Amino acid sequence: MQGGHYYGFHRVTHSDLPMLAAWLETPEVQKWWGDPAHELALIEEDMDNPAMVQLIGMLDGRPVAYIQHFEVHAWPQKHLQDLPQGARAVDCFIGVPSLIGKGHGAKLLAMLAKQLAAQGVRVLCIDPDPDNQRARSAYIRAGFVEHGEIDTPEGPAVLMFFENHED
């Protein structure tokens, strides 16, 4: 429990797909994730891939966010190729528009990052669009530190790493 709220996660199942489809249609998610049908197809395809961990972020027992994380070398991307084996990348969004900008994403991401660190993950990165100030601020509140702008096949991104200062 953090700040009077309960946060948690559950693995994505096929019964979550209609909810994810609706979330992908929201303007804020579409702005940063792109074509909803394409993204839903990717999420569904990745459900059968053990290298991709797909989670629903929960707030007080209610699904509010989508989070995926994966070992960076399982999905080779030039901008992540120099990270050590075992490094993980994370992508996420808040799916409930009325809950965007309320701090829940930062709390969910911090909780996940700490869980992964406790499991031995030493490097966790996220790479938001430079123009996505809201996400960047949330990631900083979650414990990520910006390490400069990079070029990716999808365009410019800000490379950010979680720094666990509780060790």
Side-chain angles (χ1 to χ4, degrees), residues 12 16 48 66 68 72 79 81 113 118 127 138 144 151 167:
V12 169
D16 292 315
D48 296 324
Y66 173 75
Q68 64 184 27
V72 296
H79 66 287
Q81 69 186 7
D127 56 357
F144 286 79
D151 287 315
D167 289 350

Side-chain angles (χ1 to χ4, degrees), residues 50-53 69-77 80 83-90 121 123:
M52 176 67 77
V53 177
H69 62 90
F70 54 93
E71 207 277 343
V72 296
H73 302 289
W75 267 270
Q77 298 173 72
L80 304 177
L83 296 180
Q85 287 299 123
R88 296 188 77 78
V90 62
V121 174
V123 178

Side-chain angles (χ1 to χ4, degrees), residues 3-166:
H5 291 289
Y6 289 97
Y7 294 94
F9 306 102
H10 76 75
R11 293 295 283 257
V12 169
T13 67
H14 282 86
S15 64
D16 292 315
L17 291 173
M19 174 183 69
L20 287 168
W23 286 357
L24 288 162
E25 295 275 350
T26 63
E28 183 75 7
V29 175
Q30 266 193 70
K31 180 176 183 179
W32 304 113
W33 280 62
D35 178 58
H38 175 72
E39 292 302 321
L40 186 66
L42 290 175
I43 288 171
E44 191 167 7
E45 180 182 312
D46 289 342
M47 288 177 71
D48 296 324
N49 189 329
M52 176 67 77
V53 177
Q54 298 170 299
L55 303 169
I56 298 296
M58 305 292 287
L59 168 65
D60 299 330
R62 175 183 175 202
V64 298
Y66 173 75
I67 304 166
Q68 64 184 27
H69 62 90
F70 54 93
E71 207 277 343
V72 296
H73 302 289
W75 267 270
Q77 298 173 72
K78 191 171 184 343
H79 66 287
L80 304 177
Q81 69 186 7
D82 294 332
L83 296 180
Q85 287 299 123
R88 296 188 77 78
V90 62
D91 301 303
C92 57
F93 63 78
I94 296 287
V96 180
S98 63
L99 295 177
I100 292 172
K102 308 265 198 260
H104 300 302
K107 288 186 176 129
L108 282 164
L109 201 51
M111 185 176 165
L112 176 66
K114 287 173 186 162
Q115 286 177 3
L116 290 172
Q119 295 166 18
V121 174
R122 301 273 42 102
V123 178
L124 181 63
C125 67
I126 197 162
D127 56 357
D129 186 297
D131 294 334
N132 193 344
Q133 277 304 134
R134 184 180 307 192
R136 289 171 64 182
S137 295
Y139 303 157
I140 289 168
R141 285 195 311 279
F144 286 79
V145 175
E146 294 189 350
H147 286 268
E149 196 167 309
I150 53 167
D151 287 315
T152 77
E154 292 80 36
V158 177
L159 195 55
M160 302 177 73
F161 294 98
F162 179 73
E163 299 195 359
N164 187 2
H165 298 293
E166 295 176 12

